[in-house]
Amino acid sequence: MSFVRYKAIVEEGDVVIVYLTHESMFPLTLEAGRIFQTRFGALRHSDIIGKRFGSKILCGGGRGYVYALHPTPELWTLTLPHRTQIVYTTDISMLTLQLDLKPGSVVVESGTGSGSVSHAVIRTIAPTGHLYTFEFHQQRAEKAREEFSDHGLSNLVTVTHRNVCTDGFGLSDVADAVFLDLPSPWEAVASAKLALKKAGGRLCSFSPCVEQIQRTCDKLRSHGFCDITTIECLLRTFDVRTIALPEPDLGQPDSCVQTRHEGSETAQSFTFKSAVPPKDMPGHTGFLTFATLYPQVETS
Ligand SMILES: C[S@@+](CC[C@H](N)C(=O)[O-])C[C@H]1O[C@@H](n2cnc3c(N)ncnc32)[C@H](O)[C@@H]1O
């Protein structure tokens, strides 16, 4: 199983994302003989094993169906077991670009949390890069290590149980990029600088509060980081809806007015499809602060 490359056929032991609706998805590790209960009834793991990823699978004896999707970092972020607050795909896509991550990049991250960012970073830096991820909560570190192994990612990631604010990363001159998602990221800036390659690199810190950013920016500046920028990413999605409107009362027929009738039964109303923004939009998640460390040259 791999979150890095697609495969065609589902095998026992694979993770599939069971898709019921856009709002209802579950990760499932397949074991022949087991049953997963859905709102459409029982879904037998054996009915998924051997099918192509993306297949429609009947459940509840034909009462409904689900799709068996291939796991990706984006779907994992939507379905993973939450052990902490997590960073979502909108922020992850921005940090991936701004940190200039690519195959072969070496990345240092803390904290690991629920592994949402880690999975996306690993996919981007594979097959030759490496993620060093640090977590000071022992069970979270162990669980993350276990998940990476189950997902076939162990060779691309090293999980270390450590308090990086007091004990640093213990790495020097190795990283192309550092990502911090910590309550007090400013306490990790000195060791992040040490971990970055002497040839230079990028740092990103994710924080919900502006006070955290102010302290982090001060620390970044005093440690020689340049090009310090903070942004907030807000995503606006649209729902496609079928809208029914009453026929407008235009008085006498007017040859200039044309009304589209799409499947409407009567002359009193007409329907059309439209994309509308949802009433409630997800708001603030956090601020992303980016900074560059330029090559460190010895001056005499
Ligand atoms: C918000 S979570 C990170 C979530 C992660 N970015 C994700 O998307 O899944 C913050 C994590 O940092 C860890 N943490 C907090 N302070 C730390 C420290 N000083 N050293 C290492 N990890 C720390 C916490 O235990 C927690 O798991």
Side-chain angles (χ1 to χ4, degrees):
M1 172 83 273
S2 175
F3 278 51
V4 168
R5 220 174 306 124
Y6 287 108
K7 59 188 267 193
I9 305 294
V10 185
E11 293 173 275
E12 183 164 15
D14 281 350
V15 175
V16 293
I17 307 295
V18 175
Y19 175 103
L20 281 82
T21 69
H22 207 61
E23 284 78 35
S24 181
M25 288 183 256
F26 304 91
L28 206 60
T29 304
L30 297 175
E31 277 178 60
R34 294 201 65 174
I35 287 178
F36 177 68
Q37 291 298 341
T38 75
R39 73 164 100 131
F40 304 131
L43 171 65
R44 295 201 316 231
H45 290 215
S46 314
D47 287 345
I48 308 178
I49 296 166
K51 298 269 168 47
R52 292 184 71 82
F53 274 102
S55 296
K56 200 168 168 176
I57 316 283
L58 289 178
C59 46
R63 269 176 38 219
Y65 61 85
V66 301
Y67 288 96
L69 302 183
H70 198 288
T72 61
E74 293 74 24
L75 290 174
W76 185 245
T77 288
L78 291 174
T79 55
L80 58 75
H82 280 234
R83 301 181 283 273
T84 59
Q85 294 273 11
I86 65 165
V87 179
Y88 288 91
T89 298
T90 308
D91 291 312
I92 294 175
S93 45
M94 181 58 82
L95 76 88
T96 304
L97 176 86
Q98 291 282 352
L99 287 178
D100 192 19
L101 302 188
K102 47 188 169 292
S105 296
V106 175
V107 182
V108 169
E109 174 196 36
S110 188
T112 315
S114 306
S116 172
V117 173
S118 317
H119 277 79
V121 167
I122 292 168
R123 197 250 320 259
T124 303
I125 65 177
T128 48
H130 202 83
L131 172 68
Y132 294 92
T133 184
F134 293 81
E135 171 57 58
F136 83 166
H137 187 287
Q138 188 166 357
Q139 282 85 17
R140 280 181 209 152
E142 283 165 8
K143 191 67 200 155
R145 204 176 287 123
E146 191 183 309
E147 267 174 5
F148 295 136
S149 166
D150 291 348
H151 297 169
L153 305 172
S154 292
N155 60 330
L156 294 162
V157 56
T158 305
V159 182
T160 304
H161 168 228
R162 176 180 301 182
N163 182 336
V164 299
C165 293
T166 55
D167 304 331
F169 292 108
L171 294 170
S172 151
D173 192 17
V174 295
D176 297 291
V178 174
F179 173 66
L180 304 176
D181 182 1
L182 294 167
S184 42
W186 56 91
E187 291 177 353
V189 166
S191 41
K193 178 176 177 179
L194 205 63
L196 282 169
K197 286 182 179 164
K198 291 210 167 23
R202 291 275 283 167
L203 178 145
C204 173
S205 180
F206 178 88
S207 295
C209 307
V210 85
E211 292 79 5
Q212 292 169 298
I213 289 159
Q214 284 165 339
R215 294 188 72 168
T216 307
C217 287
D218 288 346
K219 206 51 151 203
L220 287 167
R221 220 170 283 116
S222 69
H223 277 79
F225 283 84
C226 304
D227 188 16
I228 302 169
T229 311
T230 297
I231 59 167
E232 181 186 23
C233 294
L234 295 174
L235 180 72
R236 192 171 196 220
T237 58
F238 277 73
D239 295 331
V240 177
R241 295 255 169 80
T242 299
I243 295 174
L245 289 180
E247 186 83 15
D249 181 4
L250 301 172
Q252 289 302 306
D254 182 339
S255 60
C256 296
V257 176
Q258 289 188 346
T259 308
R260 282 198 306 142
H261 293 260
E262 276 187 15
S264 102
E265 294 288 314
T266 68
Q268 276 74 50
S269 72
F270 67 103
T271 62
F272 61 98
K273 281 220 161 71
S274 183
V276 290
K279 287 196 194 80
D280 299 312
M281 265 177 57
H284 178 71
T285 53
F287 298 105
L288 290 162
T289 297
F290 296 99
T292 306
L293 186 68
Y294 285 112
Q296 296 159 63
V297 284
E298 304 291 334
T299 49
S300 51

